[in-house]
C-alpha cells in the first residue's frame, strides 16, 4: 500500500482505502515498489478478440522468378479457458506479390505470466489458406493449401484486458499452380511480424 506516515509509527493505506498502523519495532524493512495500475485487471477467462497485421518477411521466389514479399492481416475471436489455453477461429488476408490467400485457422494461445501490464504469450495456428488470386489466363489456375504458424509475443495492457500486441514467429503457406494441366506445388515460408490490439 501507500505509506502515509513513518514517525512515530507507520501508517499504511491499502488499495481499498483501509489504513493500518504499525510500531517501528514491528517493521523489518520497507521496500519501495512501483504501484500497479488499478485500472488493469488480468482476464482469467472469457471471450477474447485479436486483430493483427504486419509483413511476412523472407526471400522467396515464385515459379516466374518474382520475389514474393507479403503483407498479412488477421482477426481472431475465441474463448480463454485459463492462463495457458485460449482457442479461437481466425480469418484474414495474406497479400503476396503474385498470389492472395484467405487463411481460415484454428488459433491456440497462452500467457507465460499473469502479473503486471506486460504479458508475454505464445501462439499456434493451423488451417487452410484459400487462394483468392484473380486470373485472366485460361490455362492457368491457382489453388490453396494448408497453412500454419507459431511464435511468441507481448501484450501491453492499457485498461482491464484491452492492450496492444506485438509478436514474431514462423508462417507456412502451401499453394498449387496448374498450367496446361500440369500441377506444381509452391511453399511460402515466412518470418511473421505482427502488431495489433486485443480485448
Amino acid at each position: 500500500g501507500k505509506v502515509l506516515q513513518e514517525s512515530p509509527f507507520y501508517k499504511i493505506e491499502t488499495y481499498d482505502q483501509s489504513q493500518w498502523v504499525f510500531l517501528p519495532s514491528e517493521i523489518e524493512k520497507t521496500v519501495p515498489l512501483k504501484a500497479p495500475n488499478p485500472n488493469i485487471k488480468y482476464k482469467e477467462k472469457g471471450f477474447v478478440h485479436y486483430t493483427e497485421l504486419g509483413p511476412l518477411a523472407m526471400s522467396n521466389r515464385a515459379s516466374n522468378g518474382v520475389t514474393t514479399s507479403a503483407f498479412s492481416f488477421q482477426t481472431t475471436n475465441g474463448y480463454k479457458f485459463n492462463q495457458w489455453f485460449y482457442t479461437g477461429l481466425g480469418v484474414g488476408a495474406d497479400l503476396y506479390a503474385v498470389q492472395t490467400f484467405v487463411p481460415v485457422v484454428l488459433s491456440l494461445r497462452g500467457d507465460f505470466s499473469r502479473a503486471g501490464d506486460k504479458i508475454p504469450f505464445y501462439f499456434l495456428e493451423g488451417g487452410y489458406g484459400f487462394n483468392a488470386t484473380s486470373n485472366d489466363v485460361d490455362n492457368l489456375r491457382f489453388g490453396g493449401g494448408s497453412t500454419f504458424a507459431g511464435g511468441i509475443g507481448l501484450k501491453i495492457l492499457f485498461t482491464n484486458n484491452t492492450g496492444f500486441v506485438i509478436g514474431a514467429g514462423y508462417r507456412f503457406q502451401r499453394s498449387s499452380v496448374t498450367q496446361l494441366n500440369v500441377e506444381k506445388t509452391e511453399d511460402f515460408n515466412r518470418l511473421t511480424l505482427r502488431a495489433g490490439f486485443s480485448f
Side-chain angles (χ1 to χ4, degrees):
K2 181 180 180 180
V3 178
L4 302 178
Q5 183 176 330
E6 295 185 18
S7 178
F9 49 80
Y10 282 89
K11 181 184 286 187
I12 298 175
E13 183 178 88
T14 55
Y15 289 111
D16 60 357
Q17 297 185 338
S18 298
Q19 293 188 2
W20 300 76
V21 177
F22 300 95
L23 296 174
S25 60
E26 297 176 306
I27 304 296
E28 181 179 355
K29 64 179 178 178
T30 60
V31 179
L33 298 174
K34 180 182 177 182
N37 186 339
N39 295 321
I40 292 176
K41 183 179 179 182
Y42 181 80
K43 190 168 190 176
E44 298 285 346
K45 60 182 179 179
F47 172 82
V48 177
H49 169 88
Y50 292 91
T51 293
E52 299 161 299
L53 52 86
L56 297 173
M58 193 173 289
S59 177
N60 196 194
R61 294 183 179 274
S63 56
N64 60 2
V66 176
T67 300
T68 56
S69 58
F71 184 82
S72 178
F73 166 85
Q74 184 170 302
T75 183
T76 305
N77 293 292
Y79 190 86
K80 183 176 185 179
F81 293 91
N82 54 48
Q83 173 185 340
W84 295 100
F85 186 67
Y86 156 92
T87 184
L89 188 64
V91 63
D94 292 346
L95 309 176
Y96 292 83
V98 293
Q99 296 186 50
T100 300
F101 296 91
V102 178
V104 178
V105 298
L106 176 66
S107 177
L108 302 176
R109 299 189 185 220
D111 298 331
F112 293 115
S113 172
R114 50 185 292 169
D117 57 0
K118 297 178 179 63
I119 308 295
F121 65 88
Y122 75 88
F123 65 88
L124 296 170
E125 298 170 351
Y128 189 88
F130 295 91
N131 202 315
T133 305
S134 60
N135 179 39
D136 55 3
V137 179
D138 292 336
N139 60 2
L140 183 64
R141 293 290 179 269
F142 295 100
S146 59
T147 183
F148 61 85
I152 57 174
L154 183 68
K155 179 161 61 174
I156 303 170
L157 299 176
F158 299 143
T159 178
N160 291 328
N161 196 55
T162 302
F164 175 74
V165 291
I166 54 175
Y170 166 77
R171 183 148 191 167
F172 168 87
Q173 173 68 60
R174 173 158 288 178
S175 71
S176 63
V177 179
T178 303
Q179 188 170 19
L180 298 175
N181 296 322
V182 177
E183 182 176 308
K184 181 181 178 181
T185 299
E186 292 186 351
D187 293 339
F188 298 97
N189 297 283
R190 291 291 183 273
L191 172 65
T192 174
L193 304 173
R194 299 177 171 182
F197 67 92
S198 71
F199 59 82

